[in-house]
Amino acid sequence: MSSVTPSLDSSGLLSAAEDHFLHGHLLSGWIVDYIDLEESLAVGSIAQEELAHAATLMSVHGLDEVGRDVFVYQRPAQDWRPTRLLAHRLHDWPSTVVRALLLAHAAAVRSERMSASDDPTIRDAGIVLAAEQQLHVMHWERWVQVLGGDARTADELRQRAAVVLPLGGDVFGSASSSSEPTPDRDGHAAWMSRVETVLREVGVPVRSLGDGPSERSPADEQPELLQVLAEIRMLRVEAGFGDGVRGLDR
Amino acid sequence: MNLEAVREAVAHVEDPEVPVTLVDLGVVRDVGLADDGDVRVVLRPTRLACPARDEMARRVREAVRSVEPDAGVAVEWELSTWRGDEVSGRGTEVLLQIGYSDPGAAETACPYCGSTKVRREGAFGGAVCKVPFSCRACGSTYDALRGSRSLLAGAPHV
Ligand SMILES: [Zn+2]
């Protein structure tokens, strides 16, 4: 069996795919625990697109149907190094909104940079991903404005954001276990400036994201993440081979 | 290999959800022969997460094999953004009949009464490729396809 680890991923595509996949999985819980019917449709669509974007990034990296399957369902759990934002379930809506805003802006920054690549496959994927993520960015910005602009929810949004933001310092951090990790300082700075524009409006400081990206931690140091991964794999086994992420991008 | 017959067969493949062919929808981008002699069909998804992709690919393979039973078929998904203004006139006619707005129109209008006094009812509909609208003139609800010209960046009503 081929082994795929993030250390092989010089371009960060697989590391981004991990984030999209886990976000899609965690967000999908809100389809049934929803705010209103319209929001149920929205998180359903966004979660579905996060899974498709994960599959697209894996394909661009060169993983075929089987490779994508192995990457998600058979790779050792300790090889996963998603951002710490996704190592926690986050059980309330304001935290979920803040996390989604941070991830949508990160995906937008990343895909826009991909769209400037010399590699035509990376470039084409970047253009489509950037266009599709724009819808997610708009959706989560609107929620931040709604929650932050209403006296009944603004305090809670700020309290929750103060807990969530420190988890996001590693979004542009190196996922590599190689000897010379290369944190993406430019990506971090571009991302921080975009989220600051939105969060400052509702009184949320972004200092806790850090001056530069922090390094990502392996999943085996994060018990709740291990639990989530076990849950994903359990579902996969029960669904049987031929389903799951492999079915999204054939 | 009769490539013209293959193209003709692929031209009859309908979308799994709307009774419009994939060619008229602008989903089929190319039908040709690959270097290894396989039939190569290039498709463009309306949205990367379109859940009908597998079924579209299955129908295309089936259509090719209906005229060339022994042909290898490679279905490739293009990485590009689907555009509603590439839907054919015939495709647009059917979409209007079944309650979708004209995907190529600069401004979204009610497919039932033609009024442009419409309201977008949120950014997400019953599928990733649909945006829900309601008409203030006749009270109908309808969907616009997300890649519709009137919904692309820079258009009004975004
Ligand atoms: Zn009307």
Side-chain angles (χ1 to χ4, degrees):
Chain A
M1 184 187 301
S2 68
S3 158
V4 185
T5 61
S7 58
L8 294 173
D9 180 27
S10 53
S11 54
L13 296 169
L14 293 182
S15 165
E18 279 188 357
D19 285 3
H20 282 287
F21 186 88
L22 279 171
H23 189 225
H25 175 75
L26 293 172
L27 194 58
S28 65
W30 288 93
I31 295 171
V32 288
D33 196 5
Y34 55 83
I35 309 297
D36 55 33
L37 180 59
E38 192 187 316
E39 192 52 29
S40 173
L41 294 175
V43 294
S45 286
I46 293 175
Q48 194 179 329
E49 298 210 318
E50 286 289 79
L51 298 182
H53 290 186
T56 301
L57 289 163
M58 290 180 220
S59 300
V60 170
H61 182 82
L63 297 186
D64 63 5
E65 217 177 285
V66 175
R68 292 195 292 273
D69 219 52
V70 169
F71 184 76
V72 173
Y73 298 107
Q74 291 167 36
R75 197 166 46 115
Q78 62 267 24
D79 284 0
W80 286 70
R81 285 172 190 242
T83 163
R84 282 201 296 146
L85 282 172
L86 293 160
H88 303 270
R89 289 181 197 273
L90 304 184
H91 296 282
D92 64 282
W93 186 241
S95 300
T96 303
V97 165
V98 171
R99 169 168 68 190
L101 176 88
L102 296 174
L103 293 171
H105 271 291
V109 166
R110 200 185 299 115
S111 49
E112 285 166 29
R113 292 160 97 213
M114 284 169 67
S115 65
S117 169
D118 293 333
D119 180 320
T121 308
I122 294 179
R123 184 183 61 225
D124 291 349
I127 293 169
V128 183
L129 291 169
E132 294 199 356
Q133 281 291 331
Q134 199 47 41
L135 182 68
H136 304 191
V137 166
M138 280 163 49
H139 184 75
W140 299 118
E141 284 190 354
R142 191 184 64 85
W143 264 111
V144 166
Q145 286 152 5
V146 166
L147 297 175
D150 189 317
R152 293 167 299 180
T153 49
D155 282 344
E156 193 190 346
L157 176 73
R158 284 190 284 268
Q159 283 160 18
R160 302 289 187 179
V163 177
V164 173
L165 258 70
L167 302 173
D170 64 356
V171 163
F172 282 88
S174 171
S176 170
S177 53
S178 68
S179 53
E180 288 180 70
T182 48
D184 184 353
R185 294 197 157 270
D186 292 347
H188 183 89
W191 169 64
M192 209 162 152
S193 120
R194 290 189 196 192
V195 295
E196 182 174 21
T197 308
V198 188
L199 292 173
R200 195 182 40 210
E201 295 282 310
V202 293
V204 173
V206 298
R207 284 185 304 276
S208 55
L209 291 175
D211 293 334
S214 53
E215 206 169 318
R216 294 182 172 211
S217 315
D220 44 3
E221 293 168 13
Q222 307 180 82
E224 202 172 353
L225 173 59
L226 287 178
Q227 237 177 42
V228 169
L229 288 172
E231 176 184 287
I232 289 170
R233 284 150 197 244
M234 181 192 73
L235 288 170
R236 179 64 171 75
V237 169
E238 288 181 2
F241 284 98
D243 294 317
V245 73
R246 186 160 63 172
L248 280 168
D249 194 60
R250 200 160 271 163
Chain B
M1 169 86 55
N2 184 346
L3 196 55
E4 272 324 296
V6 167
R7 289 204 174 103
E8 183 62 23
V10 171
H12 284 96
V13 174
E14 277 194 359
D15 179 85
E17 188 163 351
V18 294
V20 178
T21 66
L22 295 180
V23 168
D24 282 330
L25 274 179
V27 167
V28 172
R29 310 306 300 180
D30 190 42
V31 181
L33 284 181
D35 293 342
D36 60 5
D38 282 1
V39 174
R40 175 175 175 268
V41 183
V42 180
L43 304 178
R44 175 184 291 179
T46 53
R47 200 78 185 161
L48 289 174
C50 170
R53 285 169 65 167
D54 276 2
E55 176 59 15
M56 290 180 190
R58 193 193 66 75
R59 290 182 179 195
V60 164
R61 281 192 202 98
E62 191 178 79
V64 174
R65 293 200 175 114
S66 71
V67 289
E68 290 286 351
D70 301 322
V73 190
V75 175
E76 287 175 21
W77 289 98
E78 195 179 72
L79 279 170
S80 56
T81 299
W82 180 84
R83 299 182 57 96
D85 51 11
E86 292 184 7
V87 175
S88 72
R90 190 170 51 184
T92 301
E93 226 170 275
V94 177
L95 288 174
L96 286 167
Q97 279 168 17
I98 60 174
Y100 287 87
S101 60
D102 179 346
E107 190 176 5
T108 180
C110 172
Y112 299 103
C113 74
S115 173
T116 53
K117 287 189 179 144
V118 297
R119 189 172 65 195
R120 199 171 76 170
E121 301 290 348
F124 297 90
V128 289
C129 62
K130 295 180 190 174
V131 184
F133 279 85
S134 67
C135 173
R136 286 146 118 176
C138 74
S140 304
T141 56
Y142 69 91
D143 284 319
L145 294 171
R146 196 176 291 290
S148 292
R149 186 177 159 210
S150 59
L151 295 172
L152 294 173
H157 294 287
V158 168

